[in-house]
Structures are given as structure tokens and as C-alpha cells.
Amino acid sequence: MSQELRAVDWTGTGLTLIDQTRLPHRTETVDVRDVDTLVDAIQRLVVRGAPAIGAAGAYGVALALIQGEREGWSEARVREAVARIREARPTAVNLMVCVDRVMTRFTEGLDAVLEEAAAVQREDVDANRAMGGYGADWLLKKAGEDRPLRILTHCNTGALATAGWGTALGVIRELHARGRLEVVYADETRPLLQGSRLTAWELVQEGIPHYVQADAAAAGTVLRGEVDAAIVGADRIAANGDTANKVGTVGVALACAYAGIPFLVAAPTTTVDLSTPTGDGIHIELRGEDEVLEWAGVRTAPAESRGHNPAFDVTPGRLVTGLVTERGVLEVSAGELPGDRLR
Amino acid sequence: MSQELRAVDWTGTGLTLIDQTRLPHRTETVDVRDVDTLVDAIQRLVVRGAPAIGAAGAYGVALALIQGEREGWSEARVREAVARIREARPTAVNLMVCVDRVMTRFTEGLDAVLEEAAAVQREDVDANRAMGGYGADWLLKKAGEDRPLRILTHCNTGALATAGWGTALGVIRELHARGRLEVVYADETRPLLQGSRLTAWELVQEGIPHYVQADAAAAGTVLRGEVDAAIVGADRIAANGDTANKVGTVGVALACAYAGIPFLVAAPTTTVDLSTPTGDGIHIELRGEDEVLEWAGVRTAPAESRGHNPAFDVTPGRLVTGLVTERGVLEVSAGELPGDRLR
């Protein structure tokens, strides 16, 4: 089922998004016909995951053109609307890359824009499939010669987070397809529970055995030897391999380094931002305090407390054992830096 | 106010516990008059925190004697009831130490037992006060010469977790009392939110500026240089300094080690179990799966998902910069091992 799962789907006249804030209990979609709705959907995480946001942003250019036509906008106003889509979330680079790519065909008109957006989406699925193969090959060679693997992952990087199939979760699905996966430990991923809501939901669809655990359990699970490797996605990767990903990722990386097991990042090369030399240059989105002070609208902390809510953290490249891309695996901590290998 | 706050209070005929499952929104107490209710209160975390459980267990011996008298129990049955209290939770050593200490006066009768339990409670408060002083002195010398400190903590180690005042939170309160504390980052501490519910509540009572953050944010907060030191409590410390504490602690320790900032454990010497050579010998309590799969009784993960819910983890002694006890600070990672210094 999940091979056909489309978090982001162009219907011919608009964009249909699976409302990821409603999963796992309700599978609802949102029909997006205007730019405001799209920007809101990106900011509220109706659609999330760097590659999925990228695909949504790519189609967003078409949406802006159609809305502009319908409402009689000037070209400047259409471009301004596209700029708002492009900046709806600050950390993921795919959104900007995908919007910019589609905008190279802006002056050719709607058909060209739609053709380019479809190519963005198709190429992302192809890239995910390639990553799945490279990542599974690498893991089986390094850690899985003798028995099925136990893999830890953080946040959601599956079909919901991409144009289809998945990045880190794509590698996990490939291992499962090859009969070489024992179990997945899915960090629940507070504050918004993309792990327990979305990753677990995708794993259930695939029939993959898994445990959901508190994010705080991840380091102990790794140190007790309960997993063979961890694999996560990325929102932006600097030239030196420093990787911005969902908050909590660097804690997993530190535990893997201490335990001496592989820590992999799976992401398409569009996630690598060669113009950013190190992670210090990556802007970390601070989201609303209520996400950590409340639960489903009910306050859990005292009324007087403040919240600190960085949505991402930066894992130093020296902790990244392997970066799985659609072109192969870079052994970053061993010195294969994206800035050298991907220019 | 919190100096008078008593999580565990002997009323003359029974035990009154603040129901910590209800905080921060409701301050309710539970009157405990029989052993079953006490064991249930310990297991449901109505009372939690290793020293507070120890004090509750100490008074539990008196409770067993009174109930036995009331219900005509044999001595063997009273002793069996005490054994059930002693084993109500497996990881914290204080509970066993405190029950055993009070049991040395069991044959002297109720008055002697109550006297010993009161001594356990009084000495815990005294120990916490001493720890507060030693810990604050050490931190100010190592990290706080020039400006007020920014401290990260995990779980709750305050007056609620002890017989009064607090262990790690006692050090934080001492820093605040000296005007040398800038802000506290309190990890929310999933799955049961002792950080956002209890630590934040105590910090509000004290007027201490603080942020609540997701546990997954802790490592990034440390690596970005937003805190000067972390300080936590302990449930059991092995002779080599390996420390069992609330799940998530070892992730904080790994981040501090990577960032080169102090990671302190504050715990009375009764927490040190010299009969346990290393952390490998510490039994880690696995709690119910629903704690990570549900929220306030509402399922968040898919119905088909399993949960992995270790309540504690073990931080290797080599990551413990300082162990703050009522006798002073042991620099564990520098080789001052509890097994050498506290025998």
C-alpha cells in the first residue's frame, strides 16, 4: 500500500495533501487551491519532511500561477506568493532548492512549471529507491553479515516525508524486503510525535516489527547493545557533513559514536547545501512554546513556565558514519566530505 | 514554601503523600493507612524519586506494624508485607536501604520503628542541604567565576523527590539563593513528564526562571553552548560510578562530555550500592508499554504498535564529572570512584 501512498499529490487543478496532523487515527486529506492554504499547511506540518515539503513547494509554483490567473494578480504578485512558499520553513533546504528549480521555467508558463514539478517528484522517488539499495548494501556489509538487523530511527522519513518510499525509512523498507530486518526502534519524536504517529503507522502498513520508545530511551537502547545501527533523514547538510535534522538526532548520533555502531544519514543530494560550509551557518527554526507546554491543547506544564522549542539540531559531520545519497554512501566521519565529493 | 513542602508526611497514625500524578494542576494528597495502598502508590508514582520512596518505605514499616496490630497479623505476615514494600520498585536502592535500616529496630516495636523512620527523613533533608552547598561551591568554582550559571536538569529531583529540599534541584536552589543562577532548562522527561509537571512546578514556587524543553532538545541545547553544566539525581550508583537514573540521563551525559561541560550527579551516599561493582549489575525496570503508546489514556501510536519503556538508563562513571554527596564532591571521571572513597 505505501508504494502508492502519496503525501503530496497533484490532482490536475490543485494539490491534495494527506493531513499528517490527523494520523494515525484518521486518514484525511486537505485540498489546497491557494497559496495561503499551502503556506499554512507547511507551517502547521500538515505536510512535513524535507523532501515532501520540497515537492509541495514545487507544485506550489503552479498553484500560485493558477491562483494569480483566477484572481488577476500581477506577475510581481505571483512571484511574491512564490517567495512566501519558499520561506515557509527556514531549516530545510529542499523547499528552497525545489522552488528555485521550478522557477527556472516560470516564464515558460503553467505547463512547463507543472512538468518540472512532476519531475521533482518523480526524481525524488527514484532517488529514494536508489538510497534504499545503497543504504541496505552498506549496512549489510558493515553490520549485518550474520543476522537480521535491529535498526533505530528518529522522526519520520518514509513515504509521508518524501515524494514516496522514503529516505531513512526507505533503507529500512529495503532491508525488510530483503528479509534482513529484525526490528525497528522508532523514537516517538516529541513534541509532535512524528515517530509514534507517522513512522509507526507506515511500519504497520508494511508489517515491519517495531517498538515505539520515548526519545529519552534512545541513548540507553543504543548503549545496552539493543540495536545494530541508527539511520535518520536530514533537513540540510553543510559541506563538511554537519547535518541539521529533527531535534533529538544529535543525541542518537552521540550514543552511536560512544557505542561504536554506525550512524547513517539518508538524504538526497538536494539536501546538501554546498554554500553552507559548516552547521554553524544553518538557521535552526524555533517553533511555538506551546508545542512543549501543552498536549493536544491541554496544558501540562505550569501556566507560569516558558518553553524552549528548537525544531532541529545539528549533528557534527564527524559523528556521521555514512551519508546515504542516491549516488552512493559517503563515509563522512572517515573524511569523505560532501563538499569534496558532491561539487 | 517548598522548604515546608513534604511529599511524604507521617501524621501520627498514617502516611500522607502528595499525589504527584495530579501535579501541577491539582495539589491533592493521598492518605495511606495500609500496605497495599502504599505499594500501589509507589508503583503508580504517586510518590516517586529515590529518596522520597526511601522515606515512604521507612514509614511503611510502621504502617505494616499498625495494620498488623489492627488486623491481627502474625509477625511473619508483617515481615512479608514489609518485603513487598521493599521490592515495590526494583531500580532505586534507597528504598531497600531505608527499609532495611528501619527493620534493624523492628523487634523493638512501633515507637522505635517510627523514631528510625523519622531519622531517615530528617537525615535526608540534612544530606540534601549539605549537597546543595557542596554542589554550588563546586559549580561556581569550575564554571561560574564570572557570571550566573545556566543549568540543565532532567526529571525531578526536588522537594517532591526527596524528604525535602532536593538533590540536584537542591543544588540549583542553592545557586538561586546565592544569586548565581541565570536560568534552568528542565527536560520534560517523557513518558510521565516529571520535568514539565513537577520540576517546573517547584521552579515556579521558587520563582526560578526556567524553560521546559523536549528531552530530545537537551543534547542540542548543550552542544549549542546554551548551558554551563547539567545536574541530575540518581536511583542507584555502582562502585565504579556507573549511575542508574531516569531514562534520558545518559544522553545528557554524552552531550556534556562532547561539549566539555560538567555533568554532575547529586545523590546521598545511600544511593551508592557498593555491592554492585558496575552498572551492568543494575536491574533496569521496564514499565508498561502504554506509558509510551498513550497520552492520558488516549492512544497516540497505532493500535498494532508495541512499546519499549525502560524507566532508567545507566550513565558510565567515566561520563560523570562530579558526584555530589552529603560528604562532598567526588570527581568520578577523574578517577575518584565511589567504591574507593565511600567504603
Side-chain angles (χ1 to χ4, degrees):
Chain A
M1 116 132 222
S2 52
Q3 269 150 278
E4 289 111 64
L5 176 70
R6 283 275 172 113
V8 175
D9 204 21
W10 183 257
T11 60
T13 52
L15 205 51
T16 298
L17 304 174
I18 293 179
D19 186 347
Q20 301 192 34
T21 68
R22 298 291 186 172
L23 290 171
H25 301 303
R26 280 180 285 177
T27 309
E28 295 175 7
T29 55
V30 175
D31 282 319
V32 181
R33 302 279 170 150
D34 61 83
V35 170
D36 284 350
T37 305
L38 178 60
V39 169
D40 178 67
I42 292 171
Q43 289 176 341
R44 284 197 305 114
L45 313 194
V46 168
V47 59
R48 28 67 52 204
I53 295 172
Y59 283 116
V61 178
L63 213 57
L65 275 171
I66 294 170
Q67 185 179 8
E69 178 75 20
R70 189 171 67 229
E71 300 182 9
W73 292 358
S74 65
E75 184 186 317
R77 184 154 175 205
V78 174
R79 288 183 181 272
E80 183 274 332
V82 170
R84 282 197 300 123
I85 296 168
R86 187 183 185 276
E87 282 145 32
R89 291 193 72 190
T91 302
V93 73
N94 307 59
L95 175 60
M96 299 158 203
V97 168
C98 293
V99 168
D100 290 347
R101 172 174 163 184
V102 174
M103 283 301 285
T104 61
R105 304 193 62 187
F106 183 75
T107 54
E108 295 173 52
L110 180 61
D111 286 350
V113 159
L114 277 172
E115 184 180 274
E116 199 66 26
V120 163
Q121 187 165 33
R122 190 177 56 245
E123 288 170 25
D124 188 52
V125 177
D126 292 345
N128 287 345
R129 291 286 189 160
M131 271 182 261
Y134 286 124
D137 288 348
W138 191 94
L139 276 170
L140 290 170
K141 189 171 147 209
K142 298 282 180 173
E145 292 283 355
D146 50 348
R147 57 182 168 71
L149 292 170
R150 303 161 303 166
I151 305 287
L152 186 147
T153 191
H154 190 79
C155 199
N156 173 261
T157 58
L160 291 167
T162 60
W165 189 249
T167 56
L169 202 56
V171 176
I172 288 170
R173 291 166 70 176
E174 178 68 26
L175 287 170
H176 179 64
R178 295 187 192 180
R180 303 300 301 279
L181 181 70
E182 182 179 321
V183 68
V184 173
Y185 288 85
D187 290 351
E188 64 176 2
T189 317
R190 279 280 287 154
L192 297 178
L193 301 180
Q194 291 92 338
S196 65
R197 293 190 302 107
L198 309 181
T199 298
W201 185 80
E202 290 200 50
L203 292 170
V204 166
Q205 310 302 313
E206 296 287 325
I208 295 177
H210 63 280
Y211 293 108
V212 173
Q213 65 181 2
D215 304 318
T221 299
V222 169
L223 265 60
R224 283 189 302 274
E226 295 171 13
V227 302
D228 300 300
I231 183 161
V232 301
D235 289 79
R236 188 184 297 218
I237 300 170
N240 74 339
D242 291 354
T243 297
N245 189 45
K246 175 59 55 194
V247 67
T249 300
V250 69
V252 173
L254 287 165
C256 290
Y258 193 85
I261 66 169
F263 173 80
L264 299 192
V265 173
T269 51
T270 48
T271 313
V272 177
D273 182 9
L274 294 175
S275 70
T276 300
T278 77
D280 293 341
I282 301 176
H283 174 62
I284 297 295
E285 177 185 2
L286 278 174
R287 292 181 59 85
E289 300 184 24
D290 288 346
E291 286 183 358
V292 293
L293 299 171
E294 294 183 350
W295 186 274
V298 178
R299 183 93 178 183
T300 49
E304 300 86 346
S305 295
R306 300 288 309 270
H308 181 53
N309 189 20
F312 303 92
D313 60 29
V314 175
T315 297
R318 55 190 275 207
L319 300 178
V320 177
T321 320
L323 168 59
V324 183
T325 77
E326 75 279 14
R327 300 196 213 161
V329 179
L330 294 186
E331 299 193 353
V332 180
S333 63
E336 295 183 358
L337 303 187
D340 301 331
R341 302 299 176 113
L342 299 177
R343 268 186 219 275
Chain B
M1 114 131 222
S2 51
Q3 271 150 278
E4 288 112 64
L5 176 70
R6 282 276 173 110
V8 176
D9 205 20
W10 183 256
T11 60
T13 52
L15 205 51
T16 299
L17 304 174
I18 293 178
D19 186 346
Q20 300 190 36
T21 68
R22 300 291 187 170
L23 289 171
H25 301 302
R26 280 181 285 177
T27 308
E28 295 175 7
T29 55
V30 175
D31 281 319
V32 181
R33 301 279 170 150
D34 60 83
V35 170
D36 284 350
T37 304
L38 178 60
V39 169
D40 178 68
I42 291 171
Q43 290 176 341
R44 283 198 304 115
L45 313 194
V46 169
V47 58
R48 30 67 51 204
I53 295 172
Y59 282 116
V61 179
L63 213 57
L65 274 170
I66 293 170
Q67 186 180 6
E69 177 75 20
R70 189 171 67 230
E71 301 182 8
W73 292 357
S74 65
E75 185 186 315
R77 184 155 175 205
V78 175
R79 286 184 182 273
E80 183 274 331
V82 170
R84 281 197 299 125
I85 297 168
R86 187 181 185 278
E87 283 145 33
R89 290 193 72 190
T91 302
V93 73
N94 307 58
L95 174 60
M96 300 160 202
V97 168
C98 292
V99 168
D100 290 347
R101 172 173 163 184
V102 173
M103 283 302 285
T104 61
R105 303 193 62 187
F106 182 75
T107 55
E108 293 173 52
L110 180 61
D111 286 352
V113 159
L114 277 172
E115 185 180 274
E116 200 65 26
V120 163
Q121 187 165 33
R122 190 176 57 245
E123 289 170 25
D124 188 53
V125 177
D126 292 346
N128 287 347
R129 291 287 191 162
M131 271 182 261
Y134 286 125
D137 289 347
W138 191 93
L139 276 170
L140 290 170
K141 190 171 146 212
K142 298 281 179 174
E145 293 282 355
D146 50 347
R147 58 182 168 72
L149 292 170
R150 303 160 304 165
I151 304 287
L152 185 147
T153 192
H154 190 78
C155 198
N156 173 262
T157 58
L160 291 167
T162 61
W165 191 247
T167 55
L169 202 55
V171 175
I172 287 170
R173 291 166 68 175
E174 178 69 24
L175 287 170
H176 178 65
R178 295 187 192 180
R180 304 300 301 279
L181 181 70
E182 183 178 320
V183 69
V184 173
Y185 288 84
D187 290 351
E188 64 175 3
T189 316
R190 279 278 290 154
L192 298 177
L193 301 180
Q194 291 93 339
S196 65
R197 292 191 302 109
L198 309 180
T199 297
W201 185 80
E202 290 200 50
L203 292 170
V204 167
Q205 310 303 313
E206 297 287 327
I208 294 177
H210 63 280
Y211 293 107
V212 173
Q213 66 181 2
D215 304 317
T221 299
V222 168
L223 265 60
R224 283 189 302 273
E226 294 171 13
V227 302
D228 300 300
I231 183 162
V232 301
D235 289 80
R236 188 184 296 217
I237 300 170
N240 73 340
D242 290 354
T243 297
N245 190 46
K246 176 59 56 194
V247 67
T249 300
V250 70
V252 174
L254 287 165
C256 290
Y258 193 85
I261 67 169
F263 173 80
L264 299 191
V265 173
T269 51
T270 48
T271 312
V272 177
D273 182 9
L274 293 175
S275 69
T276 300
T278 77
D280 293 341
I282 301 176
H283 174 63
I284 297 294
E285 177 184 3
L286 278 175
R287 294 182 59 85
E289 299 183 25
D290 288 346
E291 286 182 359
V292 294
L293 299 172
E294 294 182 351
W295 186 277
V298 178
R299 183 92 179 184
T300 48
E304 300 85 347
S305 296
R306 300 289 310 270
H308 181 53
N309 189 19
F312 302 92
D313 60 29
V314 174
T315 297
R318 55 189 276 207
L319 299 179
V320 177
T321 321
L323 168 59
V324 183
T325 77
E326 74 279 14
R327 300 196 213 161
V329 179
L330 294 185
E331 298 192 353
V332 179
S333 62
E336 295 183 359
L337 304 187
D340 301 331
R341 301 299 176 113
L342 298 178
R343 269 186 219 274

